Coordinates of all heavy atoms in Angstrom, one line a residue:
M19 N -14.5 5.5 -5.5 CA -13.4 4.7 -6.0 C -12.1 5.5 -6.0 O -11.2 5.1 -6.7 CB -13.8 4.2 -7.4 CG -14.8 3.1 -7.4 SD -14.5 1.8 -8.6 CE -16.1 1.7 -9.3
G20 N -12.1 6.6 -5.3 CA -10.9 7.3 -5.1 C -10.3 7.8 -6.5 O -9.1 7.7 -6.7
Q21 N -11.2 8.3 -7.4 CA -10.7 8.6 -8.7 C -10.2 10.0 -8.9 O -10.9 11.0 -9.1 CB -11.8 8.3 -9.7 CG -12.1 6.8 -9.8 CD -13.3 6.4 -10.7 OE1 -14.2 7.2 -10.9 NE2 -13.3 5.2 -11.2
N22 N -8.9 10.2 -8.7 CA -8.2 11.4 -9.0 C -7.1 11.0 -10.0 O -6.1 10.4 -9.6 CB -7.6 12.1 -7.8 CG -8.6 12.5 -6.8 OD1 -8.9 11.8 -5.8 ND2 -9.3 13.6 -7.0
F23 N -7.3 11.4 -11.3 CA -6.4 10.9 -12.3 C -5.2 11.9 -12.5 O -5.4 13.1 -12.6 CB -7.2 10.8 -13.6 CG -8.4 9.9 -13.5 CD1 -9.7 10.3 -13.3 CD2 -8.2 8.5 -13.5 CE1 -10.8 9.5 -13.2 CE2 -9.3 7.6 -13.4 CZ -10.6 8.1 -13.2
L24 N -4.1 11.3 -12.7 CA -2.9 12.1 -13.0 C -3.1 12.8 -14.4 O -3.4 12.1 -15.4 CB -1.7 11.2 -13.1 CG -0.9 11.0 -11.8 CD1 0.2 9.9 -12.0 CD2 -0.2 12.3 -11.4
E47 N 0.0 -3.2 -12.0 CA -0.4 -1.9 -11.6 C -1.9 -2.0 -11.0 O -2.8 -2.6 -11.6 CB -0.4 -0.9 -12.8 CG -0.7 0.5 -12.3 CD -1.1 1.5 -13.4 OE1 -1.1 1.1 -14.6 OE2 -1.5 2.6 -13.1
G49 N -5.3 -0.1 -10.2 CA -6.0 1.0 -10.5 C -5.4 1.9 -11.7 O -5.1 3.0 -11.4
P50 N -5.3 1.3 -12.9 CA -4.7 2.1 -14.0 C -5.5 3.3 -14.4 O -5.0 4.2 -15.1 CB -4.6 1.1 -15.1 CG -5.7 0.1 -14.8 CD -5.8 0.0 -13.3
G51 N -6.8 3.3 -14.2 CA -7.7 4.4 -14.6 C -7.6 4.6 -16.1 O -7.9 3.8 -16.9
A54 N -2.5 6.8 -17.2 CA -1.4 7.8 -17.0 C -0.1 7.1 -16.7 O 1.0 7.4 -17.3 CB -1.8 8.8 -16.0
L55 N -0.1 6.1 -15.8 CA 1.1 5.4 -15.4 C 1.3 4.2 -16.3 O 2.5 3.8 -16.6 CB 1.0 4.9 -13.9 CG 1.0 6.0 -12.8 CD1 0.7 5.4 -11.5 CD2 2.3 6.7 -12.8
V69 N -5.0 -4.0 -12.9 CA -6.3 -4.4 -12.3 C -7.1 -3.2 -12.0 O -6.7 -2.3 -11.2 CB -6.0 -5.2 -11.0 CG1 -7.3 -5.6 -10.3 CG2 -5.1 -6.4 -11.2
E70 N -8.2 -3.0 -12.7 CA -9.1 -1.8 -12.6 C -10.5 -2.3 -12.3 O -11.1 -3.1 -13.0 CB -9.1 -1.0 -13.9 CG -10.1 0.1 -14.0 CD -9.9 1.1 -12.9 OE1 -8.9 1.7 -12.8 OE2 -10.9 1.3 -12.1
K71 N -11.0 -1.7 -11.2 CA -12.4 -2.1 -10.8 C -13.5 -1.5 -11.6 O -14.5 -2.1 -11.8 CB -12.5 -1.8 -9.3 CG -13.8 -2.2 -8.7 CD -13.9 -1.9 -7.2 CE -15.2 -2.3 -6.6 NZ -15.3 -1.9 -5.2
D72 N -13.3 -0.3 -12.0 CA -14.4 0.5 -12.7 C -14.5 0.1 -14.2 O -13.7 0.5 -15.0 CB -14.1 2.0 -12.5 CG -15.3 2.8 -13.0 OD1 -16.2 2.3 -13.7 OD2 -15.3 4.0 -12.7
L75 N -14.2 2.5 -17.2 CA -12.9 3.0 -17.7 C -12.1 2.1 -18.6 O -11.2 2.5 -19.3 CB -12.0 3.3 -16.4 CG -12.6 4.3 -15.4 CD1 -11.6 4.5 -14.2 CD2 -12.9 5.6 -16.0
Q96 N -11.2 -6.1 -12.3 CA -11.5 -6.8 -11.0 C -11.3 -5.8 -9.9 O -10.6 -4.8 -10.1 CB -10.4 -7.9 -10.8 CG -10.6 -9.1 -11.7 CD -9.4 -10.1 -11.4 OE1 -8.6 -9.9 -10.5 NE2 -9.4 -11.1 -12.3
D97 N -11.8 -6.2 -8.7 CA -11.5 -5.5 -7.5 C -10.1 -6.0 -7.0 O -10.0 -7.2 -6.7 CB -12.6 -5.8 -6.5 CG -12.4 -5.1 -5.2 OD1 -11.3 -4.7 -4.9 OD2 -13.3 -5.1 -4.4
F98 N -9.2 -5.1 -6.9 CA -7.8 -5.6 -6.4 C -7.9 -6.3 -5.1 O -7.1 -7.2 -4.8 CB -6.8 -4.5 -6.4 CG -5.5 -5.0 -5.9 CD1 -4.7 -5.8 -6.7 CD2 -5.0 -4.7 -4.6 CE1 -3.5 -6.3 -6.3 CE2 -3.8 -5.2 -4.1 CZ -3.0 -6.0 -5.0
N117 N -1.2 4.5 -8.3 CA -1.7 5.7 -7.7 C -3.0 5.3 -7.0 O -4.0 5.1 -7.7 CB -1.9 6.8 -8.8 CG -2.7 8.0 -8.3 OD1 -2.9 8.2 -7.1 ND2 -3.2 8.8 -9.2
L118 N -2.9 5.0 -5.7 CA -3.9 4.2 -5.1 C -5.2 5.0 -4.8 O -5.1 6.1 -4.5 CB -3.4 3.6 -3.8 CG -2.2 2.7 -3.9 CD1 -1.8 2.2 -2.5 CD2 -2.4 1.5 -4.8
P119 N -6.3 4.3 -4.9 CA -7.6 4.9 -4.5 C -7.5 5.2 -3.0 O -7.2 4.2 -2.2 CB -8.7 3.8 -4.8 CG -7.9 2.5 -5.1 CD -6.5 2.9 -5.4
I122 N -9.1 3.1 0.1 CA -8.7 1.7 0.4 C -7.2 1.5 0.4 O -6.7 0.4 0.3 CB -9.4 0.6 -0.5 CG1 -9.1 0.9 -2.0 CG2 -10.8 0.5 -0.2 CD1 -9.5 -0.3 -2.8
Ligands
SAM301 N1 -3.6 5.3 -12.2 C1 -4.5 6.3 -12.6 C2 -3.8 7.7 -12.6 O1 -2.8 7.8 -11.9 O2 -4.3 8.6 -13.2 C3 -5.8 6.3 -11.7 C4 -5.5 6.6 -10.3 S1 -7.0 6.8 -9.3 C5 -6.3 7.6 -7.9 C6 -7.4 5.2 -8.6 C7 -7.8 4.2 -9.6 O3 -8.1 3.0 -8.9 C8 -9.1 4.5 -10.3 O4 -9.0 4.2 -11.7 C9 -10.2 3.6 -9.7 O5 -11.2 3.3 -10.5 C10 -9.3 2.4 -9.4 N2 -9.9 1.6 -8.3 C11 -10.6 2.0 -7.2 N3 -10.9 0.9 -6.4 C12 -10.3 -0.1 -6.9 C13 -10.2 -1.5 -6.6 N4 -10.7 -2.0 -5.5 N5 -9.5 -2.4 -7.4 C14 -8.9 -1.9 -8.5 N6 -9.0 -0.6 -8.9 C15 -9.6 0.3 -8.1

Side-chain angles (χ1 to χ4, degrees):
M19 285 216 231
Q21 291 175 335
N22 297 98
F23 300 101
L24 267 170
E47 189 195 355
L55 292 173
V69 180
E70 171 57 58
K71 183 175 176 186
D72 188 346
L75 303 180
Q96 286 177 12
D97 179 347
F98 177 72
N117 168 13
L118 299 183
I122 53 166

